[in-house]
Amino acid sequence: VQLQASGGGLMQAGGSLRLSCAASGSIGSINVMGWYRQAPGNERELVATITNGHSTNYADSVKGRFTISRDNAKNIVYLQMNTLKPEDTGVYYCNAEGWSMNGSRYNYWGQGTQVTVSS
C-alpha cells in the first residue's frame, strides 16, 4: 500500500489549507485513515482519524477548526484546516490501517507534507 499526501504549504495565521492523501496498491480493505503531525523537537501526534463508516476523532487542539473526510470509493482522505495557528506548523503524515487481500492486517504511513503557519 502506498500513501501519497499533498496540499501542504505556507500560510498565514487565520488562513486555510486542504490536505489530501490517496492510497494505492494492494489496498484490500482500509478501516481507519488518519492524519498525524510532528513539529520540530516533538513526537508525532494524532490530528484526526476517520473510519470507513465515517466516524471521526479529533485532537482537542484542532476541534472546531479541522475537518477530516474520506472518499471510500477513491481511497482518499482529506483534512480541511481552517483558522490555522502557528502551533499547527509541522510535517503532516497520513496513515491507513486495514486488511490486505490475504487477510493480514497492515498499517502504513505516507511520506509527509510540510505545513508552515506564519504569525
Side-chain angles (χ1 to χ4, degrees):
V1 176
Q2 294 80 44
L3 299 174
Q4 183 66 47
S6 60
L10 174 65
M11 179 58 65
Q12 288 188 333
S16 298
L17 284 173
R18 189 191 195 205
L19 305 183
S20 300
C21 178
S24 62
S26 300
I27 294 172
S29 175
I30 302 179
N31 182 24
V32 181
M33 300 188 81
W35 290 96
Y36 295 73
R37 67 187 179 192
Q38 187 168 17
N42 290 354
E43 294 184 353
R44 192 174 298 186
E45 63 177 5
L46 168 74
V47 176
T49 60
I50 184 168
T51 70
N52 56 8
H54 301 282
S55 295
T56 59
N57 179 50
Y58 294 93
D60 288 342
S61 59
V62 306
K63 283 181 180 177
R65 300 188 298 120
F66 291 10
T67 302
I68 190 170
S69 61
R70 175 173 172 174
D71 185 329
N72 286 340
K74 296 181 179 179
N75 295 308
I76 299 176
V77 62
Y78 304 97
L79 186 68
Q80 178 65 43
M81 305 185 292
N82 298 330
T83 319
L84 283 162
K85 302 177 180 180
E87 50 264 43
D88 294 320
T89 294
V91 179
Y92 283 67
Y93 298 91
C94 65
N95 176 269
E97 296 179 21
W99 291 270
S100 63
M101 296 296 289
N102 65 12
S104 60
R105 191 168 182 175
Y106 62 74
N107 186 314
Y108 287 103
W109 294 92
Q111 84 283 9
T113 184
Q114 177 71 43
V115 172
T116 303
V117 183
S118 62
S119 57

